[in-house]
Amino acid sequence: MDRLVNTVRPYAWGSTTAIPELLGTAPTGEPQAEMWMGAHPGAPSLTARGPLNELIEADPARELGPAAVEKFGPRLPFLLKVLAAGAPLSLQVHPDLAQARAGHAAEEAAGIPVDAPHRTYKDDNHKPELICALTPFEGFCGFRVPAEAADTLAALGVDSLKPYADLLHAHPEEDALREVLTALLTADPDEMAHTVTEAAAAAERLGGAFAPYAVLAHHFPGDPGVIAAMLLHHVRLQPGEALYLGAGVPHAYLSGLGVEIMANSDNVLRCGLTPKHVDVPELLRIVRFEPGDPGVLRPEASPSGEEVYETPIDEFRLSRLVRAEGAAPTDLTAATPQILLATAGRPKAGETTLSPGESVFVPAGEPVELSGAGTVFRATVVA
C-alpha cells in the first residue's frame, strides 16, 4: 500500500483551525478548506512511487483492478476529502450523468476554454457526493414543502417578500418552487439587494431558526441566494451522521468538519452565495424542484463491525470502522481500489500506523488488515 501525501486547498471559506487540529499541526492563519485524497489531476495525492494519478495511468488494471476499470474506465472514480467549512459555501447543484455529457460536449463544440469563468461543465461526469460529519456540521439541503418556506418569508415581515410567499402557495408544489427560484434569480439586482438587506435585519432581530440567514447575508450581502436558502431544509448533522446529495439537489454547507466523498468531477452549477458566474437558464434546467425530507444518513453496521453509508450509486462506497483497544484485526482485502483515512486514535493498516488525518491508498487485490484502536473511514467502489 502507499502512504499518501495530500494537498490542502486554501479556499477563502475554509476554517483556519479545523484541519490543523485534526492533523495535530499549528494553524498558519490562512484558511484550510479541503484536503484532497485521490488521483484528481488538480491535486493528486503523492506516494513514494510518484503521483497517484500517474501510477494509475501507467497500470490501471493493477492499481484499480479489472472490474473497476471495466465499469468506470482507467481512472479512480472517486475523490475523498476532509472538508472544513469556516464560512458558507456557495448554494449549488450538480448535473446527472446524461446532463454532464451533453453539457460538456456542447461547451467543447462552442470552443469555451475549460478555465473560462462562464464555463459550466468542466468534464463529462456527474458529481453525486456524500458528506459525513466529524464535528457538528450545518448546512442547507433539498427543498422544503413550499408552504413552510412561505411561512418563513412571511415571518420576516418584509413587504417585498410577500409576492414570493404568495407564489409558494400555488399548486403544484414543484411549479411553485420553480417560479419562486426563477423570480429570485432574475429580479432587478438593486431591488433584490434591498430586499435581502431588510430580510437579513429581520432575521438577525428574530434570531433562533432565522439566525442562519443573517449569517449568510453577512458573508454575501445583497445576494439572492440568501432568500433562496429559505426554500431549503436547514440541516444540523451530529458526528457520524451524513447527507447524500444526488443530481439536481440544491445544497450549501455552512460550518463544520466532515469527510466528503464524490464522483471524480468538477461540474457545479451555482444558485447564489457566490461572486462567481450563475448560469440561470442551465441551472433551472438541472434543479429538481421536488420537496422532501433531506434524508440524514446513519451508518448501517455489518457483522464485521464495518459501518456502511448506503447510497444509490457505484462510483463510491464510504464506510467507517470504529475500533476499540484489543479488538481483533479486520481483513479489508478487496478486488477494488481503496483509500483508508484515520480520523481518531492510531490504527494500523497492515504495518503502517496512521495518525488522525493520515491516509493510504490500497491497490486492488492487495492484502490489508486493520488493527489497533481508532476510527478509520474506508473509501472504495462498487464494481
PDB file of all heavy atoms in Angstrom, residues 6 14 40 49 87 102 116 120 128 134 140 152 157 183 215 220 222 240 272-273 299 307 316 324 340 347 352 362:
ATOM      1  N   ASN A   6      -1.026  14.550   0.949  1.00  0.00           N
ATOM      2  CA  ASN A   6      -2.207  15.162   0.354  1.00  0.00           C
ATOM      3  C   ASN A   6      -2.153  16.687   0.373  1.00  0.00           C
ATOM      4  O   ASN A   6      -1.617  17.291   1.306  1.00  0.00           O
ATOM      5  CB  ASN A   6      -3.461  14.692   1.102  1.00  0.00           C
ATOM      6  CG  ASN A   6      -3.582  13.182   1.123  1.00  0.00           C
ATOM      7  OD1 ASN A   6      -3.546  12.543   0.078  1.00  0.00           O
ATOM      8  ND2 ASN A   6      -3.701  12.602   2.314  1.00  0.00           N
ATOM      9  N   GLY A  14     -12.660  28.341   3.952  1.00  0.00           N
ATOM     10  CA  GLY A  14     -12.140  27.300   4.835  1.00  0.00           C
ATOM     11  C   GLY A  14     -11.879  27.780   6.248  1.00  0.00           C
ATOM     12  O   GLY A  14     -11.593  28.953   6.503  1.00  0.00           O
ATOM     13  N   HIS A  40      -7.239  13.008  -8.555  1.00  0.00           N
ATOM     14  CA  HIS A  40      -7.733  14.121  -9.361  1.00  0.00           C
ATOM     15  C   HIS A  40      -6.533  14.898  -9.898  1.00  0.00           C
ATOM     16  O   HIS A  40      -5.628  15.249  -9.141  1.00  0.00           O
ATOM     17  CB  HIS A  40      -8.618  15.032  -8.508  1.00  0.00           C
ATOM     18  CG  HIS A  40      -9.400  16.024  -9.314  1.00  0.00           C
ATOM     19  ND1 HIS A  40      -8.820  17.136  -9.879  1.00  0.00           N
ATOM     20  CD2 HIS A  40     -10.718  16.076  -9.653  1.00  0.00           C
ATOM     21  CE1 HIS A  40      -9.735  17.831 -10.522  1.00  0.00           C
ATOM     22  NE2 HIS A  40     -10.891  17.208 -10.409  1.00  0.00           N
ATOM     23  N   ARG A  49       5.989   6.163  -4.747  1.00  0.00           N
ATOM     24  CA  ARG A  49       6.168   5.698  -6.129  1.00  0.00           C
ATOM     25  C   ARG A  49       5.879   6.788  -7.163  1.00  0.00           C
ATOM     26  O   ARG A  49       6.058   6.569  -8.354  1.00  0.00           O
ATOM     27  CB  ARG A  49       5.243   4.498  -6.398  1.00  0.00           C
ATOM     28  CG  ARG A  49       5.552   3.258  -5.584  1.00  0.00           C
ATOM     29  CD  ARG A  49       4.717   2.080  -6.065  1.00  0.00           C
ATOM     30  NE  ARG A  49       3.298   2.212  -5.738  1.00  0.00           N
ATOM     31  CZ  ARG A  49       2.305   1.722  -6.479  1.00  0.00           C
ATOM     32  NH1 ARG A  49       2.575   1.097  -7.611  1.00  0.00           N
ATOM     33  NH2 ARG A  49       1.044   1.864  -6.094  1.00  0.00           N
ATOM     34  N   ALA A  87     -16.882  29.256   6.806  1.00  0.00           N
ATOM     35  CA  ALA A  87     -17.840  30.234   6.294  1.00  0.00           C
ATOM     36  C   ALA A  87     -18.705  29.515   5.262  1.00  0.00           C
ATOM     37  O   ALA A  87     -18.340  28.435   4.777  1.00  0.00           O
ATOM     38  CB  ALA A  87     -17.115  31.420   5.671  1.00  0.00           C
ATOM     39  N   ALA A 102     -23.878  15.832 -22.103  1.00  0.00           N
ATOM     40  CA  ALA A 102     -24.422  16.725 -23.124  1.00  0.00           C
ATOM     41  C   ALA A 102     -23.883  18.145 -22.948  1.00  0.00           C
ATOM     42  O   ALA A 102     -23.507  18.806 -23.928  1.00  0.00           O
ATOM     43  CB  ALA A 102     -25.950  16.718 -23.058  1.00  0.00           C
ATOM     44  N   ALA A 116     -12.517  29.108 -18.477  1.00  0.00           N
ATOM     45  CA  ALA A 116     -13.269  30.356 -18.630  1.00  0.00           C
ATOM     46  C   ALA A 116     -14.225  30.539 -17.453  1.00  0.00           C
ATOM     47  O   ALA A 116     -14.847  29.566 -16.999  1.00  0.00           O
ATOM     48  CB  ALA A 116     -14.054  30.345 -19.938  1.00  0.00           C
ATOM     49  N   THR A 120     -19.425  26.065 -17.520  1.00  0.00           N
ATOM     50  CA  THR A 120     -20.210  25.327 -16.524  1.00  0.00           C
ATOM     51  C   THR A 120     -19.744  23.892 -16.386  1.00  0.00           C
ATOM     52  O   THR A 120     -19.584  23.390 -15.272  1.00  0.00           O
ATOM     53  CB  THR A 120     -21.703  25.359 -16.912  1.00  0.00           C
ATOM     54  OG1 THR A 120     -22.163  26.717 -16.896  1.00  0.00           O
ATOM     55  CG2 THR A 120     -22.535  24.550 -15.918  1.00  0.00           C
ATOM     56  N   PRO A 128     -22.353  13.094  -7.861  1.00  0.00           N
ATOM     57  CA  PRO A 128     -23.029  12.784  -6.594  1.00  0.00           C
ATOM     58  C   PRO A 128     -22.003  12.844  -5.469  1.00  0.00           C
ATOM     59  O   PRO A 128     -20.815  12.570  -5.685  1.00  0.00           O
ATOM     60  CB  PRO A 128     -23.545  11.361  -6.811  1.00  0.00           C
ATOM     61  CG  PRO A 128     -22.617  10.782  -7.848  1.00  0.00           C
ATOM     62  CD  PRO A 128     -22.250  11.922  -8.736  1.00  0.00           C
ATOM     63  N   LEU A 134     -17.680  15.021  11.070  1.00  0.00           N
ATOM     64  CA  LEU A 134     -16.725  14.676  12.122  1.00  0.00           C
ATOM     65  C   LEU A 134     -16.962  15.522  13.373  1.00  0.00           C
ATOM     66  O   LEU A 134     -16.606  15.114  14.479  1.00  0.00           O
ATOM     67  CB  LEU A 134     -15.292  14.888  11.629  1.00  0.00           C
ATOM     68  CG  LEU A 134     -14.799  13.955  10.516  1.00  0.00           C
ATOM     69  CD1 LEU A 134     -13.384  14.329  10.100  1.00  0.00           C
ATOM     70  CD2 LEU A 134     -14.851  12.500  10.962  1.00  0.00           C
ATOM     71  N   PHE A 140     -27.583  23.577   4.322  1.00  0.00           N
ATOM     72  CA  PHE A 140     -28.914  23.563   3.724  1.00  0.00           C
ATOM     73  C   PHE A 140     -28.935  22.474   2.670  1.00  0.00           C
ATOM     74  O   PHE A 140     -27.957  22.285   1.939  1.00  0.00           O
ATOM     75  CB  PHE A 140     -29.238  24.912   3.077  1.00  0.00           C
ATOM     76  CG  PHE A 140     -29.397  26.039   4.054  1.00  0.00           C
ATOM     77  CD1 PHE A 140     -28.352  26.912   4.306  1.00  0.00           C
ATOM     78  CD2 PHE A 140     -30.592  26.223   4.729  1.00  0.00           C
ATOM     79  CE1 PHE A 140     -28.493  27.949   5.210  1.00  0.00           C
ATOM     80  CE2 PHE A 140     -30.750  27.257   5.643  1.00  0.00           C
ATOM     81  CZ  PHE A 140     -29.705  28.125   5.879  1.00  0.00           C
ATOM     82  N   THR A 152     -41.817  31.054   6.533  1.00  0.00           N
ATOM     83  CA  THR A 152     -40.549  31.689   6.901  1.00  0.00           C
ATOM     84  C   THR A 152     -40.452  33.084   6.299  1.00  0.00           C
ATOM     85  O   THR A 152     -40.077  34.055   6.982  1.00  0.00           O
ATOM     86  CB  THR A 152     -39.369  30.825   6.439  1.00  0.00           C
ATOM     87  OG1 THR A 152     -39.406  29.570   7.121  1.00  0.00           O
ATOM     88  CG2 THR A 152     -38.033  31.510   6.716  1.00  0.00           C
ATOM     89  N   GLY A 157     -41.606  39.676   7.858  1.00  0.00           N
ATOM     90  CA  GLY A 157     -42.309  40.955   7.829  1.00  0.00           C
ATOM     91  C   GLY A 157     -41.748  41.951   6.824  1.00  0.00           C
ATOM     92  O   GLY A 157     -41.843  43.163   7.037  1.00  0.00           O
ATOM     93  N   ALA A 183     -37.878  33.709 -10.137  1.00  0.00           N
ATOM     94  CA  ALA A 183     -38.104  35.124  -9.836  1.00  0.00           C
ATOM     95  C   ALA A 183     -36.956  35.712  -9.008  1.00  0.00           C
ATOM     96  O   ALA A 183     -36.521  36.848  -9.247  1.00  0.00           O
ATOM     97  CB  ALA A 183     -39.431  35.285  -9.094  1.00  0.00           C
ATOM     98  N   VAL A 215     -26.458  35.070   9.028  1.00  0.00           N
ATOM     99  CA  VAL A 215     -25.065  34.691   8.773  1.00  0.00           C
ATOM    100  C   VAL A 215     -24.772  34.713   7.276  1.00  0.00           C
ATOM    101  O   VAL A 215     -23.743  35.243   6.826  1.00  0.00           O
ATOM    102  CB  VAL A 215     -24.771  33.296   9.364  1.00  0.00           C
ATOM    103  CG1 VAL A 215     -23.391  32.806   8.940  1.00  0.00           C
ATOM    104  CG2 VAL A 215     -24.888  33.327  10.878  1.00  0.00           C
ATOM    105  N   PHE A 220     -22.557  37.345   2.339  1.00  0.00           N
ATOM    106  CA  PHE A 220     -22.943  37.634   0.955  1.00  0.00           C
ATOM    107  C   PHE A 220     -24.041  38.694   0.933  1.00  0.00           C
ATOM    108  O   PHE A 220     -25.198  38.410   0.595  1.00  0.00           O
ATOM    109  CB  PHE A 220     -23.418  36.356   0.249  1.00  0.00           C
ATOM    110  CG  PHE A 220     -22.376  35.279   0.201  1.00  0.00           C
ATOM    111  CD1 PHE A 220     -22.394  34.247   1.121  1.00  0.00           C
ATOM    112  CD2 PHE A 220     -21.366  35.306  -0.751  1.00  0.00           C
ATOM    113  CE1 PHE A 220     -21.427  33.252   1.087  1.00  0.00           C
ATOM    114  CE2 PHE A 220     -20.400  34.315  -0.783  1.00  0.00           C
ATOM    115  CZ  PHE A 220     -20.429  33.296   0.133  1.00  0.00           C
ATOM    116  N   GLY A 222     -26.732  41.264   0.034  1.00  0.00           N
ATOM    117  CA  GLY A 222     -27.485  41.533  -1.181  1.00  0.00           C
ATOM    118  C   GLY A 222     -27.641  40.366  -2.122  1.00  0.00           C
ATOM    119  O   GLY A 222     -28.259  40.496  -3.190  1.00  0.00           O
ATOM    120  N   GLY A 240     -20.819  11.538  12.804  1.00  0.00           N
ATOM    121  CA  GLY A 240     -21.227  10.211  12.345  1.00  0.00           C
ATOM    122  C   GLY A 240     -22.433  10.226  11.433  1.00  0.00           C
ATOM    123  O   GLY A 240     -22.676   9.254  10.720  1.00  0.00           O
ATOM    124  N   GLY A 272     -26.316  30.811  -6.037  1.00  0.00           N
ATOM    125  CA  GLY A 272     -26.147  32.032  -5.270  1.00  0.00           C
ATOM    126  C   GLY A 272     -25.108  31.854  -4.192  1.00  0.00           C
ATOM    127  O   GLY A 272     -24.417  30.831  -4.138  1.00  0.00           O
ATOM    128  N   LEU A 273     -24.987  32.857  -3.320  1.00  0.00           N
ATOM    129  CA  LEU A 273     -23.971  32.889  -2.259  1.00  0.00           C
ATOM    130  C   LEU A 273     -22.580  32.761  -2.860  1.00  0.00           C
ATOM    131  O   LEU A 273     -21.742  32.009  -2.383  1.00  0.00           O
ATOM    132  CB  LEU A 273     -24.226  31.778  -1.233  1.00  0.00           C
ATOM    133  CG  LEU A 273     -25.637  31.704  -0.641  1.00  0.00           C
ATOM    134  CD1 LEU A 273     -25.741  30.550   0.344  1.00  0.00           C
ATOM    135  CD2 LEU A 273     -26.023  33.025   0.010  1.00  0.00           C
ATOM    136  N   PRO A 299     -24.934   5.278   9.615  1.00  0.00           N
ATOM    137  CA  PRO A 299     -24.310   4.087   9.039  1.00  0.00           C
ATOM    138  C   PRO A 299     -24.985   2.804   9.503  1.00  0.00           C
ATOM    139  O   PRO A 299     -25.488   2.713  10.618  1.00  0.00           O
ATOM    140  CB  PRO A 299     -22.867   4.170   9.547  1.00  0.00           C
ATOM    141  CG  PRO A 299     -22.955   4.958  10.819  1.00  0.00           C
ATOM    142  CD  PRO A 299     -24.050   5.949  10.595  1.00  0.00           C
ATOM    143  N   GLU A 307     -19.219  -0.038   9.362  1.00  0.00           N
ATOM    144  CA  GLU A 307     -20.474   0.713   9.273  1.00  0.00           C
ATOM    145  C   GLU A 307     -20.536   1.398   7.911  1.00  0.00           C
ATOM    146  O   GLU A 307     -19.697   2.229   7.588  1.00  0.00           O
ATOM    147  CB  GLU A 307     -20.560   1.748  10.385  1.00  0.00           C
ATOM    148  CG  GLU A 307     -20.476   1.140  11.782  1.00  0.00           C
ATOM    149  CD  GLU A 307     -20.392   2.199  12.866  1.00  0.00           C
ATOM    150  OE1 GLU A 307     -19.755   3.244  12.630  1.00  0.00           O
ATOM    151  OE2 GLU A 307     -20.952   1.971  13.943  1.00  0.00           O
ATOM    152  N   PHE A 316     -18.661   5.371  -5.655  1.00  0.00           N
ATOM    153  CA  PHE A 316     -18.002   5.348  -4.354  1.00  0.00           C
ATOM    154  C   PHE A 316     -18.854   4.590  -3.342  1.00  0.00           C
ATOM    155  O   PHE A 316     -20.065   4.468  -3.490  1.00  0.00           O
ATOM    156  CB  PHE A 316     -17.681   6.757  -3.836  1.00  0.00           C
ATOM    157  CG  PHE A 316     -18.888   7.661  -3.647  1.00  0.00           C
ATOM    158  CD1 PHE A 316     -19.745   7.495  -2.572  1.00  0.00           C
ATOM    159  CD2 PHE A 316     -19.127   8.690  -4.527  1.00  0.00           C
ATOM    160  CE1 PHE A 316     -20.838   8.330  -2.381  1.00  0.00           C
ATOM    161  CE2 PHE A 316     -20.216   9.538  -4.351  1.00  0.00           C
ATOM    162  CZ  PHE A 316     -21.067   9.360  -3.272  1.00  0.00           C
ATOM    163  N   ALA A 324     -12.056  -0.512  19.012  1.00  0.00           N
ATOM    164  CA  ALA A 324     -11.668  -0.402  20.421  1.00  0.00           C
ATOM    165  C   ALA A 324     -10.307  -1.065  20.635  1.00  0.00           C
ATOM    166  O   ALA A 324      -9.869  -1.915  19.843  1.00  0.00           O
ATOM    167  CB  ALA A 324     -12.718  -1.059  21.310  1.00  0.00           C
ATOM    168  N   LEU A 340      -7.857   4.478   2.784  1.00  0.00           N
ATOM    169  CA  LEU A 340      -8.163   4.390   4.202  1.00  0.00           C
ATOM    170  C   LEU A 340      -7.682   5.666   4.874  1.00  0.00           C
ATOM    171  O   LEU A 340      -6.518   6.053   4.739  1.00  0.00           O
ATOM    172  CB  LEU A 340      -7.477   3.174   4.829  1.00  0.00           C
ATOM    173  CG  LEU A 340      -7.761   1.814   4.175  1.00  0.00           C
ATOM    174  CD1 LEU A 340      -6.980   0.719   4.900  1.00  0.00           C
ATOM    175  CD2 LEU A 340      -9.252   1.508   4.175  1.00  0.00           C
ATOM    176  N   PRO A 347      -4.673   3.740  14.529  1.00  0.00           N
ATOM    177  CA  PRO A 347      -4.855   2.401  13.972  1.00  0.00           C
ATOM    178  C   PRO A 347      -3.737   2.064  12.985  1.00  0.00           C
ATOM    179  O   PRO A 347      -2.991   2.954  12.534  1.00  0.00           O
ATOM    180  CB  PRO A 347      -6.208   2.513  13.262  1.00  0.00           C
ATOM    181  CG  PRO A 347      -6.296   3.962  12.889  1.00  0.00           C
ATOM    182  CD  PRO A 347      -5.639   4.713  14.002  1.00  0.00           C
ATOM    183  N   THR A 352       1.459  -0.149   8.620  1.00  0.00           N
ATOM    184  CA  THR A 352       1.509   1.314   8.562  1.00  0.00           C
ATOM    185  C   THR A 352       0.613   1.922   9.634  1.00  0.00           C
ATOM    186  O   THR A 352      -0.607   1.733   9.607  1.00  0.00           O
ATOM    187  CB  THR A 352       1.076   1.817   7.173  1.00  0.00           C
ATOM    188  OG1 THR A 352       1.902   1.228   6.169  1.00  0.00           O
ATOM    189  CG2 THR A 352       1.170   3.332   7.088  1.00  0.00           C
ATOM    190  N   VAL A 362      -4.703   1.687  -1.155  1.00  0.00           N
ATOM    191  CA  VAL A 362      -4.502   0.245  -1.223  1.00  0.00           C
ATOM    192  C   VAL A 362      -4.900  -0.221  -2.620  1.00  0.00           C
ATOM    193  O   VAL A 362      -6.088  -0.186  -2.977  1.00  0.00           O
ATOM    194  CB  VAL A 362      -5.341  -0.502  -0.161  1.00  0.00           C
ATOM    195  CG1 VAL A 362      -5.003  -1.989  -0.194  1.00  0.00           C
ATOM    196  CG2 VAL A 362      -5.116   0.084   1.218  1.00  0.00           C
TER     197      VAL A 362
END
